[in-house]
Amino acid sequence: MQIDKKIENGTLTLTPAGSIDYVTAPEMDEIIEAEAPSVRSIIIDMAGVPYISSAGLRTILNADELMEDKDGIRLKNVNNDVMSILRMSGFLDTLNIIGPE
Amino acid sequence: MNTGVRAISFPGSEEKPNRTAALVCAALSVFLLAYVAMVRMNMIEDTNHSWTYASTLICSVILMSAVILYAVSDGKSWWVRYVLMSSIMITALIFCVIMTSSYLVFVLPMILCILYYNKEFSILMSVICGALMLLEPVLSYYADKVNLNYVDLIGESSGTVMISGWGWDSIEFQLVNYTVPCMVIFISISMLAIWLTHSGFENIMRYNETALRKAAIDKELAIASDIQRGMLPGEIPGKGDFSISARMLTARSVGGDFYDFLKADDTHVALVIADVSGKGTPAALFMASAKSALRSNLANGLQPDMVMKKTNQILCDSNREKLFVTSWLGIIDLETGRMSYVNAGHNPPFLIRGGKAEKLIDPPNFILGRKKRAEYKEHRITLQPGDVLFLYTDGVTEAVGADKKMFGESRLQDLLSGAGEDAGGIIETVDSEIRKFVGDVERSDDITMVTFALHRYMREELEFRDFVLDRGSYAAVMSHIRGALESSKCPENVIRDIEVCSSEILANIDMYAYQEKGGELGVAVSLSDRKAKVVFRDRGPEYNPLLKDNPDVEMRIKDHKVGGFGLSIVRKMMDEVIYSRENGYNVLTIKRGY
């Protein structure tokens, strides 16, 4: 999976292209775990993510946990399919999510 | 009464009176012949002169000829009655002429003509008889006869007196003193006969009309009964996984009971039994309306509770007679035996399992058709192969026997407990027991029974595509699923949901069945009846992911395992998720309608 990575003013912005699932989630986990200590917040641009599986949800939870004592994480450009999974799994209440721009 | 009805001849309108008249003629003839014979043998002294003898013989011959004519005719030709009546009238006339005191013989044809129920004919007869009676003194005069009853009025003394000077005077005398009083009697009798003919005819026509009307109603009812029978379901196709048998005995031509069964889709059977309050035509019409409401709601793919709720609303809106229906509806998943059912005030069915019949008792819901806001709660059980459901209406348990006792539930329960597992056989057994119990007592209520026997769970012949599951083949599996769904014209949103779920399931299998070391995976995709189904099977150790509790989001943060969390998504997104262990495979089936 192609994941664009950008660090600006202590914010890590990840732009994955493709679904975040059982196969692709570990790649993202790796990047997040590697960069987390050096950033204050994480933004995941979900514009290129058609759907997300529970493995992807775990990745997001993981990132949220890592940023818990810092400035947190944000999801943006979340499409409807992904949004419905987030809603179903109860993530909407705990995450900072920005809809499609 | 219109002419059309009048034209209809009632049975035997000619034949029967002709036969009676012919019998009378024959009897008279025989009597007269016997008289002749007795005179011949000098058993009776012929007090008159030989006229009597001859005329008696002539009369009997005339009468006998009429009878013979009647016998050779078909007995109902229009002329037969004229022949018979004429012979009697000629006999009467001859008698009157010869034996002057026999006027009342003319009453005989008058009484006979009543039998024809034809007013015109009776009037004609009375006119002819009257004319003949008037003619009689004239003929008597020429026959040189006189009414001996009045002889002593003419002469001074009684006894054998010869009257001299025959002339019109004596005819006039006889007319005034004898014919007129006799005519008065005769006319009264004729009037009576004509009236009887008329009223008899009217009565018969009225009866006829009533009978015709009743016949028309009977015919309509027979058609209605036929239509109602036609509304009952026929056989439904199956591959021996289950069998259904039903019987309905109506107390009248049309009844208020009904049953229905249908394949809701490839894998579901719906069973309905119902009983409309009341009997006869109103109940039958209401039944038709209830049946079609239930059917159309079932066809809309609603769940049992919603089917009942909607049906209730429809019936409430069109129930002027304040009737109601008690009904039981069950939908059985043939693949799993799972049955959802709703009981709207109906007798709870019996579940026969292992030779023991138990009632499916749940808190009852309200009857259908009376309370628009009623809610219906469904219940679920799982049927096992060998189980039989016995649905019935209260006509079964309330069948009354000769001793005025009812058949009763416990008798039914005992009977069902030993009735075996054959759907048709059970109905046969119960039916014959009820017949035995009831005996000759007339059936007062409809008796309806339906049995559903589950022989085995339905197995769809699935075509599995086999993969070796690991991270490398993951994408290939996913694209196989998408491809199969797309080629079957599955809507894109459903494909996407199934992809999400498939992804979770594959992750699960990889992790739990094969500890991420890869292994055999079979995938089968099938679409039918607007329902997509994907089946996954793996060779891993027996593991039912559905038994895991729903995970909690907070817990997941601490515990970075994915597992059951993915399954909770699957459960939420799919209509059905079923796990089974088959031939060493873990088989997980997901279904999603669209």
Side-chain angles (χ1 to χ4, degrees):
Chain A
M1 186 171 73
Q2 174 79 37
I3 305 171
D4 279 353
K5 179 178 79 172
K6 199 166 74 182
I7 304 175
E8 226 173 46
N9 304 328
T11 298
L12 169 68
T13 304
L14 292 173
T15 314
S19 300
I20 308 174
D21 57 26
Y22 180 61
V23 176
T24 57
E27 280 183 54
M28 224 164 120
D29 284 342
E30 251 174 62
I31 297 172
I32 291 168
E33 271 163 39
E35 304 291 347
S38 58
V39 296
R40 294 218 39 90
S41 70
I42 298 174
I43 294 175
I44 305 174
D45 185 344
M46 304 285 282
V49 179
Y51 74 79
I52 184 166
S53 84
S54 61
L57 292 178
R58 194 199 60 154
T59 300
I60 292 166
L61 278 175
N62 202 3
D64 192 53
E65 198 183 35
L66 289 170
M67 294 294 121
E68 209 170 8
D69 301 327
K70 300 182 183 174
D71 297 342
I73 69 161
R74 276 186 294 163
L75 301 185
K76 65 175 191 179
N77 300 324
V78 178
N79 75 16
N80 288 336
D81 289 336
V82 173
M83 193 67 98
S84 73
I85 292 172
L86 294 175
R87 192 177 297 118
M88 216 184 283
S89 49
F91 275 47
L92 279 191
D93 305 330
T94 53
L95 288 181
N96 188 358
I97 292 166
I98 307 156
E101 272 171 1
Chain B
M1 234 182 289
N2 60 35
T3 49
V5 174
R6 199 176 272 273
I8 294 164
S9 70
F10 32 90
S13 59
E14 287 284 322
E15 279 175 290
K16 250 181 149 174
N18 278 349
R19 198 186 315 141
T20 311
L23 274 173
V24 169
C25 288
L28 265 176
S29 166
V30 168
F31 172 75
L32 294 177
L33 278 176
Y35 178 78
V36 168
M38 283 194 283
V39 170
R40 279 295 278 196
M41 293 185 288
N42 292 321
M43 288 165 76
I44 299 173
E45 199 187 339
D46 187 5
T47 49
N48 277 303
H49 58 73
S50 54
W51 267 92
T52 319
Y53 178 72
S55 60
T56 308
L57 197 59
I58 290 168
C59 285
S60 64
V61 168
I62 291 173
L63 287 167
M64 201 45 91
S65 318
V67 173
I68 289 165
L69 272 174
Y70 163 79
V72 298
S73 77
D74 55 0
K76 55 188 175 189
S77 298
W78 64 272
W79 50 266
V80 175
R81 62 163 94 162
Y82 292 98
V83 168
L84 291 168
M85 296 309 250
S86 305
S87 73
I88 295 171
M89 284 190 295
I90 291 167
T91 304
L93 182 63
I94 292 175
F95 259 66
C96 286
V97 172
I98 305 303
M99 301 180 192
T100 27
S101 54
S102 348
Y103 259 150
L104 284 180
V105 176
F106 279 108
V107 171
L108 192 60
M110 285 320 299
I111 289 172
L112 281 177
C113 72
I114 297 173
L115 299 177
Y116 289 93
Y117 292 119
N118 184 326
K119 196 164 127 191
E120 289 74 20
F121 185 63
S122 292
I123 292 172
L124 180 67
M125 286 298 116
S126 67
V127 169
I128 293 174
C129 287
L132 290 176
M133 284 172 78
L134 288 173
L135 186 63
E136 186 273 336
V138 181
L139 289 178
S140 292
Y141 172 72
Y142 287 109
D144 208 17
K145 298 292 286 185
V146 73
N147 188 340
L148 297 176
N149 289 338
Y150 297 92
V151 163
D152 55 355
L153 292 174
I154 300 164
E156 288 298 315
S157 59
S158 58
T160 314
V161 177
M162 294 303 292
I163 305 161
S164 57
W166 291 103
W168 286 105
D169 286 352
S170 63
I171 293 174
E172 188 191 332
F173 176 85
Q174 191 164 340
L175 274 175
V176 172
N177 290 291
Y178 181 65
T179 310
V180 169
C182 269
M183 280 300 279
V184 170
I185 296 172
F186 175 78
I187 288 169
S188 336
I189 291 173
S190 296
M191 301 282 272
L192 188 66
I194 292 168
W195 180 79
L196 280 174
T197 308
H198 178 70
S199 68
F201 176 79
E202 292 284 313
N203 279 341
I204 281 182
M205 290 321 286
R206 211 171 296 140
Y207 172 78
N208 226 15
E209 201 182 359
T210 315
L212 280 174
R213 257 188 223 155
K214 191 178 174 301
I217 293 170
D218 284 349
K219 197 177 167 203
E220 276 182 18
L221 274 178
I223 296 170
S225 171
D226 224 38
I227 291 173
Q228 198 174 33
R229 294 241 152 240
M231 290 178 80
L232 297 175
E235 299 229 329
I236 57 175
K239 288 180 190 141
D241 305 316
F242 64 93
S243 49
I244 297 179
S245 196
R247 184 162 300 175
M248 184 162 116
L249 308 163
T250 47
R252 304 195 194 174
S253 346
V254 290
D257 277 11
F258 70 94
Y259 61 86
D260 201 359
F261 40 81
L262 64 139
K263 272 280 194 75
D265 60 29
D266 280 352
T267 57
H268 289 79
V269 166
L271 294 174
V272 176
I273 191 158
D275 185 355
V276 176
S277 61
K279 292 194 186 81
T281 314
L285 289 172
F286 202 65
M287 164 257 156
S289 141
K291 199 204 120 108
S292 36
L294 273 167
R295 265 240 164 174
S296 65
N297 287 326
L298 277 170
N300 284 338
L302 297 175
Q303 289 297 302
D305 51 352
M306 282 310 290
V307 170
M308 283 296 198
K309 194 175 165 180
K310 292 254 178 197
T311 304
N312 176 55
Q313 285 166 358
I314 293 169
L315 291 179
C316 285
D317 283 339
S318 55
N319 186 4
R320 288 195 187 184
E321 292 300 313
K322 303 279 177 214
L323 295 168
F324 62 84
V325 193
T326 69
S327 178
W328 186 95
L329 160 70
I331 297 180
I332 300 155
D333 184 337
L334 295 170
E335 289 178 315
T336 61
R338 264 180 243 176
M339 177 172 79
S340 326
Y341 62 94
V342 180
N343 188 347
H346 197 78
N347 308 46
F350 280 100
L351 171 64
I352 309 166
R353 176 175 290 173
K356 205 163 170 355
E358 294 291 348
K359 274 194 286 183
L360 289 182
I361 306 178
D362 297 289
N365 294 292
F366 200 63
I367 49 167
L368 298 175
R370 293 301 294 275
K371 204 161 84 183
K372 203 172 176 184
R373 288 190 192 170
E375 292 286 336
Y376 295 87
K377 194 165 161 47
E378 70 177 43
H379 297 273
R380 292 196 175 90
I381 57 162
T382 301
L383 298 179
Q384 297 166 1
D387 284 357
V388 182
L389 272 177
F390 180 83
L391 319 180
Y392 67 101
T393 57
D394 56 10
V396 173
T397 43
E398 287 167 22
V400 177
D403 53 0
K404 302 226 185 294
K405 274 189 194 151
M406 292 205 278
F407 193 74
E409 242 174 47
S410 60
R411 197 189 306 264
L412 179 63
Q413 189 164 13
D414 292 345
L415 191 57
L416 291 174
S417 295
E421 292 178 4
D422 180 53
I426 291 170
I427 286 193
E428 217 45 74
T429 306
V430 177
D431 191 6
S432 73
E433 279 300 312
I434 291 174
R435 280 174 204 274
K436 241 188 274 171
F437 182 81
V438 167
D440 298 332
V441 180
E442 200 189 344
R443 188 162 47 241
S444 60
D445 199 0
D446 302 338
I447 291 179
T448 307
M449 298 176 265
V450 178
T451 46
F452 172 90
L454 184 68
H455 304 314
R456 55 167 187 259
Y457 292 137
M458 187 174 164
R459 283 280 167 265
E460 196 186 344
E461 291 305 317
L462 291 169
E463 275 182 43
F464 279 97
R465 170 87 173 269
D466 290 316
F467 297 90
V468 176
L469 179 71
D470 56 28
R471 278 168 196 261
S473 65
Y474 185 91
V477 176
M478 293 298 283
S479 80
H480 167 68
I481 293 171
R482 168 169 275 278
L485 291 170
E486 272 176 349
S487 66
S488 303
K489 307 259 184 298
C490 184
E492 180 58 29
N493 63 319
V494 176
I495 296 181
R496 245 180 270 144
D497 284 356
I498 289 175
E499 271 183 326
V500 171
C501 295
S502 300
S503 161
E504 300 297 344
I505 290 164
L506 293 181
N508 242 24
I509 292 172
D510 192 30
M511 249 186 292
Y512 290 100
Y514 301 131
Q515 275 77 42
E516 307 189 38
K517 292 185 194 104
E520 182 189 335
L521 171 81
V523 178
V525 181
S526 78
L527 278 98
S528 64
D529 272 335
R530 304 181 64 76
K531 194 175 252 181
K533 182 165 106 170
V534 185
V535 185
F536 302 87
R537 67 176 188 197
D538 65 69
R539 280 277 184 205
E542 184 167 354
Y543 170 69
N544 184 351
L546 305 180
L547 293 178
K548 283 198 118 188
D549 291 336
N550 275 342
D552 171 67
V553 175
E554 294 306 315
M555 284 279 291
R556 295 260 65 82
I557 298 171
K558 308 278 179 293
D559 167 17
H560 283 192
K561 288 264 175 186
V562 184
F565 189 50
L567 253 304
S568 86
I569 290 177
V570 176
R571 277 172 149 170
K572 280 175 183 163
M573 292 181 95
M574 295 292 112
D575 297 336
E576 269 184 87
V577 186
I578 305 151
Y579 169 82
S580 63
R581 179 77 181 176
E582 288 168 35
N583 305 326
Y585 284 104
N586 290 309
V587 180
L588 192 74
T589 306
I590 57 173
K591 289 186 194 174
R592 168 70 193 270
Y594 54 87

